[in-house]
Amino acid sequence: MKTLKIAIQKSGRLNEKSVELLKNCGLSFDNYKSSLISPVSNFPLEILFLRDDDIPEYVQDGIADLGIVGENVINETEVDVAYLQMLGFGKCSLKLAIPNNGKITKLEDLNGKAIATSYPVILEKFLANNKITADIRTISGSVEISPGLGLSDAICDLVSTGGTLKSNGLIPFGDVMHSQAVLIGRKGEEENPLIVELMQRVQSVLRAKETKYVVLNIERKNLEAIKSLLDGIKSPTVVPLADEGWVAVHTVIAEKDFWSKISQLKAVGAQGIVVMPIEKIIL
Ligand code: PRT
Ligand code: ZN
């Protein structure tokens, strides 16, 4: 079977998490910063390390079969690729931002203004959808300093913590798009058995990330109360303890509900709660 190629960012914000995801999928490869391509020793796959901007086109054109890249880059390059899996990292928003001087107060105030961005394609569509005509100034980096230099009246840039906007005296002024890293492939190739196998591995890693394994002790008489609180993979595993009145309950809990679930479990008498990370969940 033909060896697959997956393109990931060579260095930058998505590199570490992309490598970690592939390693957690059980793929064994060297992550040398100097190499552009790294063979996987235990799966028919090669990893291409690229600038993120090139990844969508490489996948669309078939140079790579798969890629991991931010949705913002996919939209900006206007490629036609299949979204195989949202990956939940690299989260950010493409936002409009303005100087805090009160000159712009509503979206229509951007008419006739200059907006600096590295995302002219996305911004142009957003402005057209909102019937705004502005002068888009494309800048490849340090967009946030352009209002201060008098180069623009507003900016449109990626924001995660908001710290960069704040330190440049800018305030967020509306979301253009939300973005996160996504695993992409070529359209029509989704049934390739190697891609299917890899997708199963990716999904089992993501599922495990979203859950914790929990073991707790409870008096047998409180077991029903606890069962109704738990929505594990199937019904929880119940193991008798040496003391006949007590049992140990093993289950998984969704990370997002974790703290509220733990207090509910304690409220119905759970004791000795042990929480462990899960490596993979294969359904
Ligand atoms: O070299 P290469 O071209 O591969 O990398 P790059 O420099 O183009 O991209 P990189 O590594 O900066 O970002 C890769 C991807 O990470 C982006 O395409 C987004 O999908 C995602 N991402 C997530 C971000 C951010 N968060 C982010 N905060 N990309 C950039 N930023 C920048 C933003 O441009 C601004 O300068 O961080 C600054 C704002 O951050 P806060 O935390 O101060 O708000
Ligand atoms: Zn880039």
Side-chain angles (χ1 to χ4, degrees), residues 9-270:
Q9 194 187 24
K10 182 172 171 57
S11 61
R13 289 168 195 264
L14 301 186
N15 166 268
E16 203 175 303
K17 287 270 170 58
S18 304
V19 167
E20 183 188 301
L21 173 67
L22 296 178
K23 296 246 167 175
N24 286 340
C25 286
L27 303 173
S28 183
F29 59 93
D30 289 327
N31 183 26
Y32 295 129
K33 291 280 174 213
S34 56
S35 64
L36 290 178
I37 183 156
S38 190
V40 172
S41 62
N42 56 357
F43 197 85
L45 181 71
E46 285 173 340
I47 302 178
L48 309 183
F49 297 96
L50 302 174
R51 291 281 312 270
D52 66 347
D53 314 68
D54 297 331
I55 293 174
E57 275 165 11
Y58 268 53
V59 172
Q60 177 184 254
D61 299 346
I63 297 159
D65 304 278
L66 300 165
I68 296 179
V69 68
E71 288 178 275
N72 51 301
V73 181
I74 303 172
N75 287 9
E76 184 63 24
T77 44
E78 295 187 294
V79 291
D80 190 23
V81 291
Y83 275 45
L84 300 181
Q85 181 68 51
M86 307 305 282
L87 297 173
F89 61 83
K91 285 190 175 170
C92 55
S93 301
L94 186 63
K95 286 183 192 282
L96 287 164
I98 51 168
N100 194 6
N101 57 15
K103 285 190 185 158
I104 297 168
T105 57
K106 51 188 187 309
L107 207 52
E108 298 81 73
D109 295 343
L110 289 173
N111 270 310
K113 298 284 192 302
I115 310 174
T117 189
S118 308
Y119 293 89
V121 173
I122 301 174
L123 178 59
E124 193 177 340
K125 285 185 189 159
F126 175 85
L127 293 176
N129 284 340
N130 287 283
K131 304 196 169 31
I132 307 281
T133 312
D135 174 14
I136 298 175
R137 305 225 164 131
T138 305
I139 301 184
S140 60
S142 302
V143 172
E144 63 282 351
I145 62 171
S146 74
L149 295 176
L151 293 172
S152 71
D153 304 295
I155 68 162
C156 173
D157 198 13
L158 295 174
V159 177
S160 46
T161 62
T164 304
L165 290 188
K166 207 170 181 188
S167 60
N168 286 280
L170 298 170
I171 49 172
F173 187 63
D175 287 333
V176 174
M177 74 171 286
H178 295 288
S179 179
Q180 63 174 283
V182 55
L183 176 66
I184 54 170
R186 209 161 41 261
K187 283 196 167 159
E189 296 283 313
E190 295 91 338
E191 304 300 315
N192 176 327
L194 288 179
I195 293 181
V196 172
E197 160 79 26
L198 210 53
M199 286 294 297
Q200 281 167 357
R201 294 193 191 191
V202 168
Q203 283 162 0
S204 76
V205 171
L206 295 178
R207 238 180 259 125
K209 263 214 159 99
E210 288 161 7
T211 45
K212 298 267 183 241
Y213 193 84
V214 176
V215 180
L216 56 88
N217 295 335
I218 184 118
E219 274 191 275
R220 200 180 278 278
K221 65 178 165 61
N222 293 331
L223 191 55
E224 282 314 309
I226 230 163
K227 272 188 183 167
S228 64
L229 285 176
L230 298 173
D231 49 3
I233 293 177
K234 285 228 168 96
S235 56
T237 307
V238 180
V239 183
L241 294 181
D243 179 339
E244 281 194 359
W246 286 75
V247 289
V249 174
H250 294 230
T251 192
V252 296
I253 289 183
E255 171 90 65
K256 65 179 171 42
D257 306 329
F258 183 73
W259 288 110
S260 68
K261 269 280 153 63
I262 291 293
S263 29
Q264 289 170 27
L265 292 171
K266 281 171 85 174
V268 293

